[in-house]
Amino acid sequence: MPYINLRVAGELSREQKQQIVAEFTATMVRVANKPAEYVIVTIDESPLQDWGWGGELLDQAE
Amino acid sequence: MPYINLRVAGELSREQKQQIVAEFTATMVRVANKPAEYVIVTIDESPLQDWGWGGELLDQAE
Amino acid sequence: MPYINLRVAGELSREQKQQIVAEFTATMVRVANKPAEYVIVTIDESPLQDWGWGGELLDQAE
Amino acid sequence: MPYINLRVAGELSREQKQQIVAEFTATMVRVANKPAEYVIVTIDESPLQDWGWGGELLDQAE
Amino acid sequence: MPYINLRVAGELSREQKQQIVAEFTATMVRVANKPAEYVIVTIDESPLQDWGWGGELLDQAE
Amino acid sequence: MPYINLRVAGELSREQKQQIVAEFTATMVRVANKPAEYVIVTIDESPLQDWGWGGELLDQAE
């Protein structure tokens, strides 16, 4: 029953999401012996304005 | 001080949200003896493209 | 695919956890038309020292 | 490596987000001796319809 | 209704937790005009073995 | 700045955690072009008694 939440700054394409879900799931199957059908992944895409790092918003660093 | 986060794939109507919040809160009051005014619920509606299950995105299963 | 995380201050008995999981799941089935076998619940029990409310730790209020 | 997630009901301006990130980071540096460059903050702005409190949605209280 | 979750690698003393909760709450009151009694903070202390950064566990870096 | 939280039912060995962190990080680098030093992973190991699935606690299924 692994549950994985991925939060990224910015956006991912559908192809990237599909590849990430496939690889994270394969890792859990291979490394932790979890059945693939128990592996759940959710993805949150946050605007750069909603991430802070080192005391600044990420959209400042650009 | 229970804090409940509900994440669903797809959307809920306002009526569904209201009913879920009312029932989750009633459960916490009845089963765990928490005062209703301490029960907080947040709801996240995620697109099907942002959920993976069994190594595939949920929008593939449709 | 609803995923519910419940965080409580203090502890719950196994019977309380079972009852809460059963009722939250029943709510999602009845109100949101989700199949019961897709409803996942996780529970986190936090010490009172690890909750703040109104600027104070919860263990101060006792 | 502190990771802070802030969830608010409603919206914040960019100036509020910047100020909050700066102050949360300063607190972690001063109180917990964490280097500023290790402090990560993410912000989620939720519609009032997606918060429940005391068994009601927040948009009912208005 | 701000809800803040702080996750740290390692442990904090009770005095540090109290100070962090007081300061985070004061920030939300001052910057975002939230009433102090609506500000909730939860703290999770994770072992260094349960954090990865740059592809390594934090306990490797010591 | 990807942040990944993995929650598993039961426990993982240190070797499994290290392998999972290495592989998740490699996936984010290869698929999403994120620098490895920006990829953060946290792991939560939950007792089976704290997971519900299909309306039952996971420790009932054993």
Side-chain angles (χ1 to χ4, degrees):
Chain A
M1 278 285 32
Y3 174 78
I4 303 165
N5 178 255
L6 166 65
R7 181 183 286 260
V8 292
E11 300 189 359
L12 297 169
S13 70
R14 193 186 177 290
E15 287 67 27
Q16 288 174 312
K17 292 175 189 177
Q18 169 55 41
Q19 188 67 16
I20 289 167
V21 163
E23 295 197 14
F24 282 9
T25 302
T27 290
M28 294 310 298
V29 170
R30 188 166 12 85
V31 178
N33 304 312
K34 304 288 185 180
E37 63 267 28
Y38 289 2
V39 182
I40 295 163
V41 184
T42 56
I43 300 172
D44 290 310
E45 296 164 296
S46 293
L48 296 185
Q49 193 182 87
D50 294 337
W51 281 76
W53 191 31
E56 308 251 321
L57 301 183
L58 283 193
D59 66 355
Q60 284 177 320
E62 302 201 311
Chain B
M1 264 315 2
Y3 174 78
I4 303 166
N5 179 254
L6 166 65
R7 181 183 285 259
V8 292
E11 299 188 0
L12 298 170
S13 69
R14 193 185 178 290
E15 287 67 27
Q16 287 174 313
K17 292 175 188 176
Q18 168 56 40
Q19 188 66 17
I20 289 167
V21 164
E23 295 196 14
F24 282 8
T25 302
T27 290
M28 294 310 298
V29 170
R30 189 167 10 84
V31 178
N33 303 313
K34 304 287 185 180
E37 62 268 27
Y38 289 3
V39 182
I40 295 163
V41 184
T42 57
I43 300 171
D44 289 312
E45 295 164 296
S46 293
L48 296 185
Q49 193 182 86
D50 293 338
W51 281 78
W53 191 31
E56 308 250 320
L57 301 183
L58 283 193
D59 66 356
Q60 285 177 319
E62 301 201 311
Chain C
M1 271 300 19
Y3 173 77
I4 304 165
N5 178 253
L6 166 65
R7 181 184 285 260
V8 292
E11 301 188 359
L12 297 169
S13 70
R14 193 185 176 291
E15 288 68 26
Q16 288 174 311
K17 293 176 188 177
Q18 169 55 41
Q19 187 67 16
I20 289 167
V21 164
E23 295 197 13
F24 281 10
T25 302
T27 290
M28 295 309 298
V29 171
R30 189 166 12 84
V31 178
N33 303 312
K34 304 288 185 181
E37 62 268 27
Y38 288 2
V39 182
I40 295 163
V41 183
T42 55
I43 300 172
D44 290 311
E45 296 164 295
S46 294
L48 297 185
Q49 192 181 86
D50 294 337
W51 281 77
W53 192 31
E56 308 249 320
L57 301 183
L58 283 194
D59 66 355
Q60 284 177 319
E62 299 201 313
Chain D
M1 282 279 38
Y3 174 78
I4 303 166
N5 178 255
L6 166 65
R7 180 183 287 261
V8 292
E11 301 188 359
L12 297 169
S13 69
R14 194 187 175 290
E15 287 68 26
Q16 288 175 312
K17 292 176 188 176
Q18 170 54 40
Q19 187 67 16
I20 289 166
V21 164
E23 296 197 12
F24 282 10
T25 302
T27 290
M28 294 310 297
V29 171
R30 188 166 13 84
V31 178
N33 304 312
K34 304 287 185 181
E37 62 268 28
Y38 288 3
V39 181
I40 295 162
V41 184
T42 56
I43 301 172
D44 291 310
E45 295 164 296
S46 293
L48 296 185
Q49 192 182 87
D50 294 338
W51 281 76
W53 192 30
E56 308 250 318
L57 301 182
L58 283 192
D59 66 355
Q60 284 177 321
E62 299 199 316
Chain E
M1 273 293 25
Y3 173 78
I4 303 165
N5 179 254
L6 165 66
R7 180 183 287 258
V8 291
E11 299 189 358
L12 297 170
S13 69
R14 194 187 176 288
E15 286 68 27
Q16 288 174 312
K17 293 176 188 176
Q18 169 55 39
Q19 188 67 15
I20 290 166
V21 164
E23 295 197 14
F24 282 10
T25 302
T27 291
M28 295 310 299
V29 171
R30 188 166 12 85
V31 178
N33 305 312
K34 303 288 185 180
E37 62 268 29
Y38 288 3
V39 182
I40 295 163
V41 184
T42 56
I43 301 171
D44 290 311
E45 296 164 296
S46 293
L48 296 185
Q49 193 182 86
D50 294 339
W51 281 77
W53 191 30
E56 308 250 321
L57 301 183
L58 283 194
D59 65 355
Q60 285 177 319
E62 300 203 314
Chain F
M1 280 278 41
Y3 174 78
I4 303 165
N5 178 255
L6 166 65
R7 180 183 287 260
V8 292
E11 300 188 359
L12 297 169
S13 70
R14 194 187 175 289
E15 287 68 27
Q16 288 175 312
K17 292 176 188 177
Q18 169 55 39
Q19 188 66 17
I20 289 167
V21 163
E23 296 198 13
F24 281 10
T25 302
T27 290
M28 294 310 298
V29 170
R30 188 165 13 83
V31 178
N33 304 313
K34 303 289 184 181
E37 63 268 27
Y38 288 2
V39 182
I40 295 163
V41 184
T42 56
I43 301 172
D44 290 311
E45 297 164 294
S46 293
L48 296 185
Q49 192 181 89
D50 293 337
W51 281 76
W53 192 30
E56 308 251 320
L57 301 182
L58 283 193
D59 66 355
Q60 285 177 322
E62 300 200 315

